[in-house]
Amino acid sequence: MSDLSNPDTLPEPDPVDIVIEDERWLDVDLQGMAERAAAAATRHLGIDTVEIVVMGCDDTRIAALNDHFRGKAKPTNVLSWPSVEPAPRAPGEVPVPPDTDELGDIAISFDTCKAEAEAQGKPFADHVTHLLVHAILHLAGYDHEADADAETMEDAERSILASLGIPDPYREH
């Protein structure tokens, strides 16, 4: 039992808080996939402690978020909102991890993830884990706007996923 008066004995907060808006995420253990993705990604990034919020939703909700934040009124697989602006960097350079424990928020759509996994012949859990790793890298300052940055981000994704035994998501299937 923790002694609430002693901060050294307080339990560590869960690194990933899950908000479930679509009950189907409960049946596939979004919490477990998110914790696994966060552990592997933060290990790769050299970050000790993080806090991430992941919302498991459906296409209707993610389309509304995509429209509101990106002006694209259509569903997508995953969206992310970093807590801090990334530091400037040269094209292709690995970002400096943000100086905060709170990396940010992620929304992920069950409908789009399921359709993509089926269309690509990938296990659903592998596809979702890849998208969560991808989103966590965005929270840590990675992007894929320029070719050099996309290559850097994809290399990080491949390395992180390989550490989890997940095949290269960019290899032709």
Side-chain angles (χ1 to χ4, degrees), residues 34-59:
E35 287 175 358
R36 188 170 177 237
T42 55
R43 192 170 40 250
H44 177 85
L45 296 167
I47 301 172
D48 291 330
T49 308
V50 297
E51 293 176 29
I52 300 168
V53 175
V54 176
M55 178 179 64
C57 61
D58 62 14
D59 271 359

Side-chain angles (χ1 to χ4, degrees), residues 44-171:
H44 177 85
L45 296 167
I47 301 172
D48 291 330
T49 308
V50 297
E51 293 176 29
I52 300 168
V53 175
V54 176
M55 178 179 64
C57 61
D58 62 14
D59 271 359
T60 301
R61 177 72 162 128
I62 210 159
L65 291 168
N66 203 20
D67 185 31
H68 180 79
F69 289 101
R70 299 177 65 223
K72 298 180 179 187
K74 63 181 185 174
T76 189
N77 48 24
V78 68
L79 294 169
S80 58
W81 298 270
S83 293
V84 297
E85 282 292 317
R89 62 189 170 95
E93 189 175 279
V94 172
V96 174
D99 189 22
T100 179
D101 288 348
E102 296 177 21
L103 284 187
D105 301 332
I106 297 169
I108 189 163
S109 172
F110 188 92
D111 303 305
T112 298
C113 289
K114 184 166 178 50
E116 288 174 346
E118 288 174 357
Q120 296 170 23
K122 296 177 181 177
F124 181 75
D126 287 0
H127 187 57
V128 169
T129 302
H130 169 224
L131 293 172
L132 290 168
V133 165
H134 181 88
I136 292 165
L137 289 175
H138 275 305
L139 298 180
Y142 284 75
D143 69 53
H144 43 81
E145 297 302 315
D147 288 344
D149 292 331
E151 188 174 318
T152 299
M153 186 170 186
E154 289 172 11
D155 286 348
E157 289 173 45
R158 285 183 184 102
S159 177
I160 294 164
L161 294 171
S163 78
L164 296 172
I166 297 175
D168 180 350
Y170 297 105
R171 185 186 83 227

